C-alpha cells in the first residue's frame, strides 16, 4: 500500500465529508484525493499560462498584452462564477 498519513479536521468537517462521500458513492479518502488532484498549484497555473503564451506566439506570431490577459482572466472568472451559481 502507498505511504499514508492523516489530516486533522473538525468533527463538523469530517461529518460533512462523510455525507458527501455517501452521496457520491465514494470515500472521504477519495474525495480528498480528488480535491488534491483536481486543483492546480500556483506553480502549475503559472506553467500553464506560460505554455498558453508560447502557443499563442507560435500560432499568432505574438502574445497578448498584460491588459488583454487581465480582461480574459476577468471574463473566465465571471463565467466560472455564473457556472457555480447555476449549479447551486
Amino acid at each position: 500500500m502507498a505511504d499514508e498519513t492523516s489530516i486533522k479536521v473538525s468533527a463538523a468537517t469530517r461529518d460533512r465529508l462523510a455525507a458527501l462521500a455517501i452521496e457520491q458513492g465514494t470515500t472521504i479518502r477519495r474525495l480528498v484525493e480528488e480535491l488534491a488532484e483536481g486543483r492546480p498549484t500556483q506553480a502549475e497555473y503559472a506553467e500553464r499560462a506560460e505554455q498558453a503564451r508560447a502557443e499563442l506566439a507560435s500560432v499568432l506570431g505574438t502574445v497578448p498584452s498584460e491588459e488583454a490577459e487581465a480582461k480574459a482572466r476577468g471574463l473566465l472568472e465571471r463565467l466560472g462564477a455564473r457556472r457555480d451559481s447555476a449549479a447551486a
Side-chain angles (χ1 to χ4, degrees):
M1 189 176 270
D3 289 340
E4 294 183 4
T5 191
S6 298
I7 59 172
K8 293 187 182 243
V9 297
S10 68
T13 298
R14 180 208 55 221
D15 293 346
R16 181 166 175 80
L17 288 169
L20 289 167
I22 289 168
E23 287 178 0
Q24 296 179 27
T26 191
T27 63
I28 292 175
R29 175 187 183 135
R30 189 65 200 137
L31 284 176
V32 172
E33 289 172 345
E34 288 172 359
L35 172 66
E37 293 166 2
R39 297 199 51 179
T41 64
Q42 290 300 312
E44 291 167 333
Y45 275 124
E47 182 180 343
R48 290 177 186 182
E50 190 53 42
Q51 290 172 344
R53 283 185 202 95
E55 181 67 20
L56 286 170
S58 73
V59 172
L60 302 175
T62 187
V63 294
S65 66
E66 289 183 23
E67 180 183 358
E69 283 189 34
K71 286 181 180 179
R73 246 184 257 105
L75 173 62
L76 291 172
E77 288 170 3
R78 287 191 306 278
L79 290 173
R82 288 186 185 139
R83 183 189 69 223
D84 292 344
S85 65

